[in-house]
Amino acid sequence: MTTLTITAKGQITLKRELLQHLALRPGDKVEVTPAPGGRLTLAPQRIARTGRIEDAFGALHRPGQKALSIEEMNEVIARAWAGEVEP
C-alpha cells in the first residue's frame, strides 16, 4: 500500500511505481470515481480506438490557434512545393 500526502492546494502526486502500474505518462488523464465507504477508484482514461477517422478530429487542436480551411491548406502546400515558403 502506498500513502500519499495532500498539499495545501488539495493536490496529490502519484508515486512513480503507481504511474508505471497504470501505464500513465505526463499529460495523460485519469478518471476518479467515488466508491462506497469513502473510497475512490482511479483508472486511466482510455481513448476509444474504433478505427474511425472521426475519432481523430480535434486531436491536434491548440487553443488560440486558427484552423485553416482546405483552400488555405492547399495554398500553403502549393507554395511550399514551389519553394516559396519553408515547409
Side-chain angles (χ1 to χ4, degrees):
M1 181 163 87
T2 301
T3 301
L4 304 174
T5 303
I6 300 172
T7 69
K9 291 183 176 183
Q11 300 172 334
I12 60 170
T13 300
L14 297 179
K15 308 263 186 213
R16 179 172 287 140
E17 62 267 14
L18 294 175
L19 295 172
Q20 289 173 344
H21 175 74
L22 295 171
L24 292 171
R25 295 180 292 186
D28 287 349
K29 297 184 183 296
V30 295
E31 294 176 354
V32 180
T33 308
R39 294 178 179 264
L40 299 173
T41 60
L42 182 129
Q45 185 181 47
R46 301 291 182 205
I47 298 171
R49 292 180 180 21
T50 61
R52 298 178 327 180
I53 188 66
E54 293 86 6
D55 295 336
F57 290 174
L60 301 177
H61 174 70
R62 294 183 187 156
Q65 186 177 24
K66 177 186 172 258
L68 297 178
S69 69
I70 295 294
E71 292 78 17
E72 291 169 317
M73 287 185 236
N74 287 338
E75 182 180 329
V76 170
I77 292 167
R79 290 178 57 207
W81 274 101
E84 296 174 13
V85 294
E86 290 289 320

